[in-house]
Amino acid sequence: MSQVTDILEFNKHFVEEKAYESYLTSRFPDKKMLIITCMDTRLVELLPKAMNFKNGDVKIIKNAGAIISQPFGSVMRSVMVALYELDADEVIVVGHYECGMASLNADHMINSIKERGVSEEVLSTLENSGIKLTKWLRGFDNVEEGVIQTVELIKRHPLLPPNVPIHGMIIDPATGALELVSDGYAEPKATL
């Protein structure tokens, strides 16, 4: 059996036994917060527990490194949706120690892309179209810098409502210990 088959079989029993009832909530976050964090597997359950969040408390956006690199990309659009349509009024960017984005090597990843079957022709077409893969696949040198850069990008966004606190934290993926690296209550919104 495949993993998808296992998931569907489990889900059938989950629904039949009404296990979902303990997770019922609205689409609006009770604590009016948006969390942007890394997709690291160690954070799936640890991060909400370490921050005392339960289902329905917050909106969570996960991506590689908790990084927003495009001010008008899909992650930033999700931030705006949370703030304007889903009643969030505070944002916390949470990076973590031992993040794979800190050690991401663009050349190594491009070699992996080739090994998994993407042709040189496709890579050449992307490069000739102005997409610099080595820049696009870039990580960060240290997690604190990555968190602070994302916090600053959000704070400088022209569509950010005034007086929305944007915080930055780092979580230890082993213990759940949190470190505040940017206090959105103490720092005014950056201006352009």
Side-chain angles (χ1 to χ4, degrees):
M1 287 200 336
S2 73
Q3 290 187 45
V4 171
T5 303
D6 291 344
I7 289 168
L8 292 172
E9 185 63 32
F10 175 86
N11 181 258
K12 180 180 176 189
H13 295 293
F14 179 85
V15 174
E16 287 172 354
E17 295 166 6
K18 298 186 179 189
Y20 58 84
E21 289 179 345
S22 65
Y23 301 101
L24 292 175
T25 187
S26 79
R27 64 188 180 115
F28 300 100
D30 293 336
K31 293 190 177 181
K32 298 189 176 286
M33 285 190 153
L34 167 65
I35 307 298
I36 300 164
T37 193
C38 186
M39 63 185 190
D40 190 288
T41 57
R42 297 169 291 180
L43 303 182
V44 171
E45 291 187 48
L46 178 67
L47 182 120
K49 296 288 187 205
M51 298 181 86
N52 193 32
F53 296 141
K54 65 180 182 1
N55 197 53
D57 280 348
V58 297
K59 293 291 185 184
I60 299 179
I61 298 171
K62 292 184 167 224
N63 70 2
I67 298 291
I68 298 177
S69 56
Q70 308 269 335
F72 288 93
S74 63
V75 177
M76 197 64 208
R77 180 180 57 226
S78 295
V79 170
M80 292 300 150
V81 169
L83 293 172
Y84 285 105
E85 297 293 321
L86 300 173
D87 293 341
D89 59 16
E90 198 159 346
V91 179
I92 304 175
V93 178
V94 184
H96 67 93
Y97 294 111
E98 302 169 14
C99 184
M101 287 298 286
S103 60
L104 185 66
N105 179 307
D107 292 328
H108 180 267
M109 190 163 170
I110 290 168
N111 284 334
S112 294
I113 288 168
K114 292 175 190 176
E115 288 171 7
R116 294 202 52 189
V118 176
S119 72
E120 283 284 350
E121 182 182 16
V122 168
L123 297 175
S124 178
T125 299
L126 291 172
E127 287 287 330
N128 291 326
S129 298
I131 298 169
K132 302 300 177 202
L133 291 177
T134 53
K135 184 177 180 186
W136 185 65
L137 296 172
R138 181 185 53 173
F140 47 78
D141 292 329
N142 76 51
V143 67
E144 186 172 339
E145 283 179 21
V147 169
I148 290 171
Q149 286 175 357
T150 293
V151 166
E152 290 302 314
L153 184 142
I154 297 168
K155 285 170 50 176
R156 287 191 308 269
H157 200 280
L159 298 178
L160 184 73
N163 305 316
V164 171
I166 313 296
H167 312 281
M169 294 183 182
I170 301 173
I171 189 170
D172 182 321
T175 67
L178 290 164
E179 175 186 345
L180 183 66
V181 296
S182 183
D183 184 350
Y185 297 135
E187 302 167 9
K189 177 184 170 184
T191 56
L192 293 175

